Amino acid sequence: MNVHATPQMTAAEQALIDTYGQLFSDLPGDTAVVVRRDEAVEALKSGLPTRRVEAWHYTDLRRLLSTVPAFDPLARAKEQPALLSGATVLPVLSGTVTSMPQIEGVAIRRIFDRLSDGSLAAQLFDGDAADAIGAINTAFVGDGYALDIAEGAEIAKPIELQNLHEGGQTHVRFATHAGRNSRATIVERQTGTGEALVSAISHITVEDGAELTWIILQEQPDDATFLGQTNIEIGADAKFTLFFMNAGGKLVRQEVTVNVAGEGSEFILRGVNLLAGGTHCDVTMVLDHAAANTVSTEVIRNVVTDQAKGVFQGQIRVAREAQKTDAKMACNTLLLTDEGEFSAKPELEIFADDVACGHGATVTEIDQGHLFYLMARGIDEKTARGLLVRAFLAEVIEDLENEAMVEALEEKLTAWFATHG
Amino acid sequence: MLEIKNLHARVAETGTEIIRGLDLTVKAGEVAAIMGPNGSGKSTLSYVLAGRPDYEVTDGDILYDGQSILEMDPAERAAAGVFLAFQYPMEIPGVATMEFLKVAINSQRRARGDAELKIPDLLKKVKEAAGTLEMDMAMLKRPLNVGFSGGEKKRAEILQMMLLEPKLCVLDETDSGLDIDALKIVADGVNALRSPERAMVVITHYQRLLDYIVPDTVHVLSRGRVVKSGDKGLALELEKNGYAGVVGEAA
Amino acid sequence: MPAVQETIEQVRNIDVDQYKYGFETLIETDKAPKGLNEDIIRLISAKKDEPEWMLDWRLEAFRRWQTMSEPSWARVSYPEIDFQDIHYYAAPKSTSGPTSLEEVDPELLRTYEKLGIPLKEQEILAGVRKQGEPSDLDAIEGNGGRRVAVDAVFDSVSVVTTFKKELAAAGVIFCSISEAIREHPDLVRKYLGTVVPTSDNYYATLNTAVFTDGSFVYVPKGVRCPMELSTYFRINEKNTGQFERTLIIAEEGAYVSYLEGCTAPQRDENQLHAAVVELIALDDAEIKYSTVQNWYPGDKDGKGGIYNFVTKRGDCRGKNSKISWTQVETGSAITWKYPSCILRGDNSQGEFYSIAVSNGHQQIDSGTKMLHLGKNTVSRIISKGISAGRSNNTYRGQVSVHRKATNARNFTNCDSLLIGNDCGAHTVPYIEAKNATAKLEHEATTSKISEDQLFYVMQRGIPEEEAIALIVNGFVKEVIQELPMEFAVEAQKLIGISLEGSVG
């Protein structure tokens, strides 16, 4: 994936290759899957991407992925209580599916089975040199859930996908197909304990007229590397809302690829990055408007403290035929320490002339006027700062329509501030 | 001066027909008021007269001084003397009002084969007209309509009308967004332009404006057609009884 | 403002596919053979009568250049350049060391006339009027007090510089870089290559090896340069690369405003232009650098045109210094250009105002870098891109606040306008903050001229193409008003001409 020749493999690269050598005979998959796995490992052999690969400009994976822990065959993480009470939990524990709950209107299969029968092969690594996450995950993925939401189904209770680990490596996938005019809310939890390398890839297809809300809550421990990728295709008159909260991890890369493919559809992205300690967190989005009369809005809010480093790359691409596209993106950052860093690269690539596209990016400190106002009301500086930072983030969470969800996420915010505030 | 015959027009993009067989004649020197409920096609009529490309004429004709203007683009119609005072004048960032006036006046003069106006003459004319409308000359240095209040925008429209000296003036809801003092000033400006050579089409929802710009004829529009015509008494009747009676009668 | 009217006049008077500056001047030239090697570099150095250190510097750069590869990250594509198929030195024969204006070839003076060099400078260049004499034009133009000193660079050499004596009285040095290397070696040695180092990038390194001329400006401590300084660059010869090098130094408290204009004849082949400009502002100094770039853009099928690969960088070396770049880019087949500011001094300020118009098959990848190193540094970026025809127009910019740059401020506004559906407009900003007190604001929009606006303007009797020119000139106003007056008028005309034929 690194176009330049890499003279010597890093320890992490070597560990990945060695792990594959040890595991490949135990990994599920038909011939098509095995071919993809081999291609992925070949790609890894040519080296992880450096900052010379534009998509990894601010996250030199080759340098930052310093160690790769071994798989721990004995680890068995425990299921967590759901974020929202009443949700149906589908847990992947240390990389393996252990239960198959029934949900009316949703056909559920194991990724293990879909690898074994080869039906998932098309979603695996396809040779894109910059797709390091796809390559790592393809090499090792063993399980996960595939959901097929029936046409017209309205799934009342949220579905919660849990990817939990107790250290070592886990590589999972979630594949979701939302049939025409279906409605559902899905929560994706990414957490665990101990040093780990976690990769998780979701392919989501939203058929015409469907409305899907997807919440990603990433709370990895301080010594875990999380490589996430969410790929979305949206049909005509459909609506997809993606919300993510990054609140942990040592090295985090969250990739979001969206193809707004059907006319009259809408994509909404809201994200909150809570960055503390030594976290390096990179959210990279590529959004294609491929059809006419589509709308997208993206709002990302970041708080950076301690020595944390944050990155947001957001590229909006409007194809020649995507007339009347309305796309707006905003990335706002509060940088609270001089040791912290934030880099933003919001891009527009426009080929259609009748569009209204824009982006805004700000990096600031807390508004001194607001701070003064609160302090003039007798609130001490520390509390006042906390209130303002929290309000800055809560604004984004409150864009979600589900009140119970807003409450649950704001509790997560409170918990994060209790530790890092 | 203006003869509209069995006009049918629709929104180009959606094909929705708005003007459905409209007939109207306005003579030189006449002030014709067009009234009607919301959605009756009043603003569309003004746009079709000015040649806005979002609308398609599917049938009928618009004759101006006996000639069809359907094939003319908006600039050609304007140069021929058709002026539309917009309900919502557009903001043109970066183009000073004064500069805009100069370009517009001279474009029209060129199109008519007249010599361009020299700057001192232009300034004099603008100063005079602005004075009538109680407009501050400093405002003319600002980009056209950008940051203007509702009242300022309407005055700027009438200022342009005074300076461009059109033969057919179409005023679309010129009273909306004006307080009573501004309304009087604007009406005085319009009245000053009344002349035997000039026709005016005054589009309004309310009778109020017609107290100040007294019309010769009043036409009620409903579902894209003129359903009743009369003199200024008709406007008063509408004020008292509402549109329901007239519109219902016709339907 | 007469400018818009003039724009409209220009648009009317010019055929769709006609590049106004596309004439060729037929005068005898002295040319080096095609190709690039150490001997050619020695030849250039010898022609310029350069000291040994200069030749050594060139040769070192050439050796480095041979180890480098062309950058590929910009959104531009072009066939591989054969660097051996270019003449690296060409000079008009009759102008070897002109000592007075009378010696200048009349063909050359006619060239300046066609280039639209401000009328009063033409008078001087043509010998109608002596420097300092009042002009009949003063009354008409109404700016009798304003004067501009002009340097003209024709292919590889500077042919004439006006107002030299008057400038010298103020202590300002304004001459060709070749002359500066001979006459002011200490100044040149002290500053040349300190902002754009030898190995900065592929084209800059090439320039260092082969540059043939350019301008040199030195404004001493406390001096406000009594007039605007201007250079007109002209590529005339076939298969000739132009590699000019400009160095401007503003000592403590000095001020200078410098303008450059660029044109070239129409040719079927592509010609290479790789310039380097270095600006140095010491404590409390200010440099204002304005460019109207109108190199030949190629024909309507994308044949010919200049490859414009330029490195421009300003160093706000002193505290409270300020460097301001203003550019109007309408020409060139390919533009690769990022005038930047290194905000090293505390309280220093950097500005970048840009209009980039692309039509036909033009490709523009241009923007700026603002590197905040000092405390309380401020930068401002206003970029207006207009894409038409089958062109691609990219803004690429970087704002970087370093760890120790407390209270850094940046405001960036990038607006793009698309005319027609075969072109592309792209915005690629890099925003990097490493200090908690930084305040960075970036906003960008892409849209087309609204139908409503166009209808409104046309309803006032202004024909479509003129209506578009009017709205576009409004769109770029914020940048135009940063230009000195004569340039503002020329720039507006150019924008109108560049967009000619883009409608319908």
Side-chain angles (χ1 to χ4, degrees):
Chain A
M1 37 213 53
N2 181 357
V3 291
H4 303 275
T6 36
Q8 200 167 0
M9 272 191 210
T10 64
E13 284 163 355
Q14 193 61 56
L16 287 170
I17 312 266
D18 291 349
T19 310
Y20 185 70
Q22 292 151 20
L23 289 185
F24 79 94
S25 53
D26 299 334
L27 293 167
D30 74 340
T31 320
V33 169
V34 171
V35 167
R36 297 268 183 148
R37 288 198 199 270
D38 286 345
E39 277 174 14
V41 173
E42 282 309 308
L44 292 174
K45 280 183 186 162
S46 63
L48 292 168
T50 68
R51 60 173 296 147
R52 276 182 290 184
V53 177
E54 187 60 25
W56 295 85
H57 187 74
Y58 291 109
T59 300
D60 190 320
L61 191 62
R62 187 162 198 264
R63 188 172 57 80
L64 291 171
L65 188 68
S66 46
T67 54
V68 170
F71 270 88
D72 178 358
L74 299 176
R76 189 58 72 227
K78 284 170 203 65
E79 186 178 324
Q80 298 274 316
L83 182 66
L84 288 189
S85 59
T88 312
V89 175
L90 303 181
V92 187
L93 306 176
S94 297
T96 307
V97 165
T98 53
S99 67
M100 293 291 283
Q102 300 285 308
I103 302 171
E104 203 187 319
V106 186
I108 306 174
R109 288 190 69 194
R110 283 181 64 176
I111 292 290
F112 180 91
D113 296 332
R114 293 202 49 189
L115 287 164
S116 302
D117 68 15
S119 64
L120 202 81
Q123 293 183 7
L124 299 179
F125 180 73
D126 66 356
D128 173 5
D131 186 15
I133 296 179
I136 292 171
N137 183 278
T138 293
F140 302 113
V141 61
D143 216 339
Y145 287 99
L147 310 180
D148 196 341
I149 304 168
E151 185 173 331
E154 295 197 18
I155 313 303
K157 289 198 291 184
I159 299 168
E160 181 164 315
L161 302 163
Q162 295 187 347
N163 181 27
L164 310 172
H165 67 83
E166 278 189 330
Q169 290 190 42
T170 61
H171 303 278
V172 307
R173 289 209 172 219
F174 299 117
T176 299
H177 176 263
R180 282 167 164 265
N181 303 314
S182 61
R183 304 275 181 277
T185 298
I186 293 173
V187 178
E188 177 187 332
R189 300 278 297 277
Q190 299 286 354
T191 188
T193 53
E195 189 192 353
L197 170 64
V198 179
S199 78
I201 295 185
S202 303
H203 281 265
I204 302 162
T205 308
V206 187
E207 295 286 358
D208 296 357
E211 284 186 22
L212 197 62
T213 300
W214 192 286
I215 316 279
I216 301 174
L217 180 56
Q218 184 275 112
E219 299 168 288
Q220 294 291 350
D222 294 343
D223 42 6
T225 292
F226 175 70
L227 303 174
Q229 191 182 77
T230 305
N231 305 291
I232 305 141
E233 174 140 340
I234 306 173
D237 302 311
K239 182 175 168 181
F240 184 80
T241 305
L242 177 64
F243 177 91
F244 66 80
M245 181 187 280
N246 281 307
K250 176 188 177 196
L251 170 60
V252 175
R253 166 93 165 186
Q254 176 72 56
E255 295 179 354
V256 178
T257 311
V258 189
N259 184 11
V260 183
E263 279 202 34
S265 58
E266 184 176 3
F267 171 67
I268 298 165
L269 175 68
R270 296 291 180 272
V272 167
N273 292 313
L274 309 171
L275 311 180
T279 292
H280 177 111
C281 176
D282 174 333
V283 174
T284 292
M285 180 198 78
V286 178
L287 165 60
D288 279 298
H289 280 268
N293 297 305
T294 56
V295 177
S296 72
T297 64
E298 299 83 40
V299 181
I300 313 294
R301 294 267 165 104
N302 314 289
V303 169
V304 184
T305 186
D306 303 335
Q307 303 85 43
K309 292 187 174 72
V311 176
F312 173 69
Q313 303 187 103
Q315 187 181 34
I316 297 176
R317 305 195 290 208
V318 179
R320 218 170 282 297
E321 51 279 4
Q323 293 293 357
K324 309 256 182 229
T325 291
D326 186 337
K328 300 271 179 308
M329 177 164 70
C331 174
N332 311 108
T333 304
L334 286 179
L335 185 54
L336 302 178
T337 58
D338 286 349
E339 292 73 38
E341 282 180 34
F342 197 87
S343 301
K345 192 172 77 155
E347 277 185 72
L348 293 172
E349 186 183 294
I350 316 283
F351 288 104
D353 67 340
D354 191 4
V355 297
C357 297
H359 64 225
T362 59
V363 181
T364 55
E365 53 181 347
I366 290 168
D367 187 298
Q368 295 300 313
H370 292 169
L371 190 62
F372 174 73
Y373 182 84
L374 292 188
M375 288 171 71
R377 292 290 173 269
I379 302 168
D380 69 83
E381 186 176 341
K382 189 169 186 291
T383 313
R385 279 179 179 275
L387 278 171
L388 290 170
V389 174
R390 201 192 136 89
F392 169 77
L393 299 166
E395 243 174 31
V396 177
I397 298 173
E398 282 156 14
D399 275 355
L400 286 168
E401 284 159 14
N402 183 336
E403 274 182 41
M405 188 73 79
V406 171
E407 260 178 53
L409 290 168
E410 288 190 342
E411 266 176 44
K412 289 287 176 189
L413 207 57
T414 307
W416 189 83
F417 276 106
T419 331
H420 301 97
Chain B
M1 170 159 297
L2 175 67
E3 231 181 311
I4 304 175
K5 290 180 183 168
N6 185 34
L7 187 70
H8 288 258
R10 63 184 187 190
V11 180
E13 197 175 283
T14 60
T16 314
E17 188 166 60
I18 310 241
I19 303 291
R20 308 169 204 197
L22 187 143
D23 291 289
L24 178 71
T25 302
V26 185
K27 295 191 200 65
E30 182 180 330
V31 174
I34 306 285
M35 301 187 72
N38 290 330
S40 58
K42 300 192 299 289
S43 282
T44 301
L45 175 62
S46 74
Y47 289 144
V48 172
L49 284 172
R52 188 176 169 125
D54 322 26
Y55 296 93
E56 272 172 13
V57 171
T58 52
D59 200 3
D61 208 345
I62 301 171
L63 304 181
Y64 169 73
D65 275 345
Q67 301 287 319
S68 174
I69 56 169
L70 291 183
E71 295 302 313
M72 294 162 77
D73 81 8
E76 291 165 339
R77 295 185 200 199
V82 179
F83 181 91
L84 170 61
F86 285 61
Q87 184 180 2
Y88 304 109
M90 296 306 301
E91 300 188 352
I92 313 289
V95 179
T97 306
M98 193 65 206
E99 181 181 335
F100 180 77
L101 290 171
K102 201 194 86 185
V103 176
I105 290 169
N106 284 333
S107 291
Q108 293 205 16
R109 292 179 75 97
R110 263 205 319 269
R112 292 195 286 259
D114 297 340
E116 292 189 10
L117 215 50
K118 293 266 184 309
I119 301 212
D121 300 334
L122 178 85
L123 271 175
K124 201 173 144 237
K125 279 188 72 162
V126 174
K127 218 170 205 167
E128 223 174 78
T132 316
L133 295 168
E134 297 180 25
M135 285 170 78
D136 187 357
M137 286 297 279
M139 201 177 108
L140 303 181
K141 289 182 184 158
R142 287 159 54 191
L144 182 60
N145 294 327
V146 177
F148 287 18
S149 69
E152 285 173 334
K153 283 182 183 169
K154 292 300 168 75
R155 280 188 217 201
E157 290 294 285
I158 302 305
L159 176 73
Q160 291 174 50
M161 186 163 100
M162 294 171 94
L163 292 168
L164 292 168
E165 299 171 353
K167 288 203 291 185
L168 173 65
C169 308
V170 182
L171 288 85
D172 187 9
E173 307 263 0
T174 295
D175 49 332
S176 69
L178 289 185
D179 64 30
I180 195 72
D181 293 332
L183 180 64
K184 279 182 190 160
I185 294 163
V186 166
D188 287 348
V190 174
N191 286 327
L193 288 176
R194 291 178 83 145
S195 93
E197 293 82 43
R198 185 173 281 140
M200 292 195 184
V201 175
V202 180
I203 293 171
T204 181
H205 188 79
Y206 300 106
Q207 142 73 19
R208 187 178 76 148
L209 177 68
L210 305 181
D211 287 340
Y212 299 95
I213 304 173
V214 181
D216 300 307
T217 55
V218 174
H219 308 271
V220 181
L221 220 62
S222 172
R223 292 181 198 144
R225 309 181 53 171
V226 174
V227 293
K228 191 163 186 178
S229 297
D231 61 11
K232 62 186 177 190
L234 177 57
L236 294 167
E237 194 189 314
L238 288 169
E239 175 79 354
K240 208 159 65 188
N241 303 327
Y243 286 109
V246 179
V247 170
E249 222 171 89
Chain C
M1 289 287 288
V4 169
Q5 197 55 52
E6 283 179 48
T7 304
I8 290 166
E9 287 297 338
Q10 287 293 340
V11 170
R12 178 170 294 120
N13 293 337
I14 278 179
D15 289 336
V16 175
D17 196 26
Q18 189 187 330
Y19 172 70
K20 182 185 168 191
Y21 304 92
F23 54 88
E24 182 180 357
T25 307
L26 298 167
I27 46 176
E28 268 194 288
T29 55
D30 178 12
K31 257 196 298 199
K34 275 186 185 174
L36 183 54
N37 51 51
E38 293 202 0
D39 288 342
I40 290 286
I41 291 164
R42 286 177 207 281
L43 173 84
I44 293 169
S45 193
K47 284 269 182 198
K48 299 280 166 190
D49 215 357
E50 283 177 357
E52 190 69 23
W53 58 267
M54 195 66 228
L55 175 63
D56 291 346
W57 194 55
R58 287 174 179 278
L59 290 172
E60 190 205 324
F62 178 63
R63 286 163 200 151
R64 286 199 189 203
W65 179 75
Q66 288 173 303
T67 68
M68 297 167 85
S69 51
E70 279 190 74
S72 59
W73 42 263
R75 179 188 276 281
V76 293
S77 60
Y78 51 91
E80 207 182 328
I81 298 170
D82 181 356
F83 288 94
Q84 297 303 336
D85 194 36
I86 296 171
H87 293 284
Y88 287 84
Y89 183 84
K93 250 184 190 160
S94 60
T95 62
S96 46
T99 50
S100 75
L101 291 162
E102 286 69 32
E103 284 179 30
V104 174
D105 189 324
E107 272 294 328
L108 219 56
L109 293 175
R110 273 192 281 284
T111 302
Y112 301 136
E113 193 182 314
K114 289 194 228 170
L115 290 176
I117 288 178
L119 289 172
K120 282 187 288 180
E121 281 77 57
Q122 261 185 51
E123 277 191 314
I124 294 168
L125 291 167
V128 171
R129 175 169 65 96
K130 293 262 160 48
Q131 289 179 27
E133 277 179 12
S135 163
D136 292 344
L137 294 165
D138 291 347
I140 301 162
E141 293 184 9
N143 60 345
R146 280 172 59 91
R147 283 164 310 158
V148 182
V150 180
D151 181 27
V153 176
F154 201 82
D155 290 328
S156 304
V157 290
S158 171
V159 289
V160 64
T161 308
T162 61
F163 283 108
K164 265 179 121 161
K165 280 184 197 145
E166 200 167 334
L167 287 168
V172 175
I173 304 169
F174 178 39
C175 62
S176 73
I177 193 95
S178 311
E179 186 181 334
I181 290 166
R182 292 190 303 266
E183 308 292 327
H184 311 281
D186 294 345
L187 278 175
V188 175
R189 270 190 107 157
K190 185 171 174 190
Y191 292 107
L192 191 69
T194 63
V195 187
V196 178
T198 312
S199 56
D200 189 80
N201 69 72
Y202 189 76
Y203 305 115
T205 307
L206 175 64
N207 174 286
T208 303
V210 303
F211 74 89
T212 42
D213 223 326
S215 294
F216 176 81
V217 178
Y218 175 81
V219 188
K221 190 170 169 179
V223 171
R224 200 180 159 84
C225 187
M227 63 191 74
E228 263 149 11
L229 307 181
S230 175
T231 302
Y232 281 84
F233 293 102
R234 170 86 180 161
I235 298 177
N236 195 58
E237 273 299 304
K238 211 171 164 177
N239 297 321
T240 304
Q242 181 158 337
F243 305 91
E244 83 263 5
R245 184 102 193 179
T246 294
L247 176 60
I248 299 178
I249 302 139
E251 286 272 14
E252 246 174 79
Y255 169 85
V256 63
S257 169
Y258 178 91
L259 331 168
E260 65 171 359
C262 327
T263 61
Q266 278 173 278
R267 293 197 186 284
D268 285 350
E269 324 83 49
N270 298 102
Q271 282 173 285
L272 180 62
H273 173 253
V276 172
V277 175
E278 296 178 280
L279 312 183
I280 294 140
L282 300 180
D283 288 359
D284 303 301
E286 180 176 349
I287 301 174
K288 197 169 160 53
Y289 194 106
S290 311
T291 304
V292 174
Q293 184 267 108
N294 185 33
W295 298 117
Y296 178 53
D299 71 7
K300 66 180 191 317
D301 301 316
K303 201 168 180 202
I306 301 289
Y307 292 164
N308 191 33
F309 302 131
V310 175
T311 304
K312 292 186 170 179
R313 196 172 302 153
D315 188 354
C316 284
R317 209 164 278 184
K319 62 181 184 345
N320 308 317
S321 57
K322 181 175 176 184
I323 288 179
S324 180
W325 298 100
T326 305
Q327 62 173 29
V328 177
E329 302 284 318
T330 60
S332 298
I334 295 173
T335 301
W336 179 99
K337 179 181 175 189
Y338 315 90
S340 304
C341 297
I342 303 168
L343 303 171
R344 203 185 301 274
D346 289 348
N347 312 316
S348 61
Q349 293 181 46
E351 293 177 338
F352 175 73
Y353 297 96
S354 171
I355 298 169
V357 184
S358 60
N359 199 353
H361 290 258
Q362 282 177 275
Q363 305 174 57
I364 298 181
D365 195 301
S366 182
T368 185
K369 284 184 187 185
M370 293 289 173
L371 304 180
H372 292 258
L373 306 178
K375 294 182 173 56
N376 308 313
T377 47
V378 178
S379 62
R380 183 177 167 83
I381 299 170
I382 307 287
S383 164
K384 306 280 181 181
I386 298 147
S387 323
R390 296 178 171 277
S391 67
N392 270 296
N393 199 330
T394 302
Y395 166 82
R396 189 183 303 277
Q398 182 186 22
V399 175
S400 185
V401 176
H402 287 237
R403 189 103 38 220
K404 288 177 181 162
T406 47
N407 290 316
R409 296 286 177 267
N410 165 264
F411 175 77
T412 300
N413 178 298
C414 298
D415 294 322
S416 305
L417 203 60
L418 288 151
I419 300 176
N421 202 30
D422 294 314
C423 49
H426 317 295
T427 313
V428 191
Y430 297 75
I431 302 152
E432 300 158 7
K434 293 185 182 175
N435 185 294
T437 57
K439 198 165 180 179
L440 313 180
E441 289 174 74
H442 169 99
E443 54 188 50
T445 64
T446 303
S447 55
K448 72 165 187 171
I449 292 175
S450 104
E451 298 289 346
D452 290 346
Q453 274 184 343
L454 193 58
F455 173 62
Y456 182 80
V457 174
M458 287 178 72
Q459 209 297 311
R460 297 302 182 247
I462 303 169
E464 187 173 17
E465 206 142 77
E466 297 170 28
I468 287 172
L470 184 79
I471 294 169
V472 168
N473 272 328
F475 174 73
V476 301
K477 187 67 148 216
E478 217 180 330
V479 176
I480 290 281
Q481 64 197 13
E482 292 295 324
L483 286 169
M485 243 257 281
E486 296 86 342
F487 262 39
V489 174
E490 189 180 349
Q492 283 189 321
K493 279 189 211 167
L494 274 178
I495 292 164
I497 293 164
S498 301
L499 291 173
E500 168 73 359
S502 65
V503 187

